[in-house]
Amino acid sequence: MGGYYGLVFLVVFTLIPARCDESCGGRDGLAGEAGAPGRDGYPGAKGEKGETALMLEGPVDEAVLRRLKGEAGGRGQQGFMGPKGYQGNLGAAGQPGEPGRPGAEGKGIISGGQGAQMARSAFSAIRTHNTYPGFGKPITYGRTVVNTPESDNKDFNAATGHFTCRVPGVYYFTFHSMAKVSMCLNIVSQALTNSLGFCDYNRNSDQVLSGGVVLQLTAGQKVWLESFRDLQRANELRDSQDKQIIFSGFLLFSNLE
């Protein structure tokens, strides 16, 4: 009988642990530390080309176009120069420009700057006479065609045959004569070391004699014409046919500052 009770106790003891394993569980443990980042994967394969976009009818939203527009590409190389085009038609004339500013006030050639005494000088005188002009004497003139400036004190005096420099500068003087006899004429001036002689000899026709000179003159210097003896025959000096002499001169440019 005592052995029987011992068996019952053993059976009960072994049943208790089996029942605890089915109904009781342990608590979750703490989360482990994060591992190191993994390596990048291999690049994926290139995707297939998409279908061409269809152009919609009607107005297009510019904002949408700007979003769809790709980035600008790099600048390409400069192309070759094309052929020259045809010349276009002449354009219409432009509008007239604005008037310029007034220039500086001019200077007179004498103190006070009088407008009537500007730097100009010119003359042309004519002698028509049947007598031969005297040798070694200034030739005088019957009339003047031009004698500027127009003032009482002119640069050229027809009665004396003298041109008197009023405006210092460079002048040109010339003469022409026409006669049926031989003629010799000198250009004489205080600005010349020697006079300039010109001759034309009779060939039984009208003789035309011309001469000229450019002179640098200072104020007060004179220029005139003279006849001189060379190879003229005696009967030519007594000739009574008309003989014409034209004496002219003018200022090329002045030396006034």
Side-chain angles (χ1 to χ4, degrees):
M1 193 63 179
Y4 176 78
Y5 289 118
L7 179 60
V8 173
F9 176 80
L10 179 60
V11 171
V12 173
F13 180 77
T14 56
L15 292 173
I16 292 173
R19 188 180 303 157
C20 184
D21 289 340
E22 294 176 0
S23 61
C24 299
R27 293 181 296 176
D28 295 336
L30 299 175
E33 296 180 358
R39 293 179 297 176
D40 294 337
Y42 293 106
K46 182 177 179 181
E48 297 180 358
K49 182 177 180 181
E51 296 181 359
T52 304
L54 299 177
M55 178 64 69
L56 299 177
E57 296 181 358
V60 180
D61 189 348
E62 293 185 3
V64 175
L65 292 178
R66 283 195 292 270
R67 288 197 300 270
L68 295 177
K69 183 179 180 181
E71 296 181 357
R75 184 180 180 88
Q77 296 181 352
Q78 182 175 356
F80 296 104
M81 181 178 292
K84 183 177 180 181
Y86 296 105
Q87 182 174 358
N89 296 327
L90 183 65
Q95 296 295 327
E98 297 182 359
R101 291 181 295 178
E105 183 179 357
K107 297 181 180 180
I109 65 168
I110 60 175
S111 60
Q114 299 178 10
Q117 299 291 330
M118 293 192 310
R120 56 179 182 169
S121 180
F123 73 93
S124 183
I126 300 176
R127 177 191 188 273
T128 302
H129 208 278
N130 57 6
T131 61
Y132 204 95
F135 297 138
K137 298 178 181 179
I139 297 174
T140 58
Y141 303 87
R143 65 188 180 98
T144 55
V145 180
V146 175
N147 198 2
T148 60
E150 298 296 335
S151 63
D152 294 337
N153 187 20
K154 297 182 182 297
D155 297 345
F156 179 75
N157 188 328
T160 64
H162 287 145
F163 170 84
T164 304
C165 175
R166 176 180 53 87
V167 182
V170 177
Y171 288 79
Y172 176 66
F173 296 93
T174 184
F175 70 84
H176 306 278
S177 73
M178 186 173 65
K180 294 185 180 297
V181 294
S182 303
M183 183 71 69
C184 292
L185 296 176
N186 268 334
I187 298 178
V188 186
S189 174
Q190 297 160 338
L192 290 171
T193 303
N194 298 308
S195 59
L196 297 177
F198 302 84
C199 286
D200 189 23
Y201 298 101
N202 180 262
R203 298 182 182 86
N204 298 320
S205 62
D206 288 338
Q207 301 298 302
V208 178
L209 175 65
S210 298
V213 65
V214 175
L215 294 177
Q216 172 84 50
L217 299 180
T218 59
Q221 288 185 319
K222 298 180 184 297
V223 182
W224 65 94
L225 282 184
E226 289 183 357
S227 174
F228 68 94
R229 183 67 181 266
D230 190 61
L231 301 178
Q232 301 96 319
R233 299 188 299 270
N235 64 331
E236 292 179 319
L237 304 181
R238 297 189 298 269
D239 181 77
S240 60
Q241 300 179 84
D242 283 345
K243 304 165 188 64
Q244 189 174 74
I245 299 174
I246 302 174
F247 184 35
S248 305
F250 54 88
L251 175 67
L252 294 174
F253 54 88
S254 70
N255 293 338
L256 295 175
E257 297 296 336

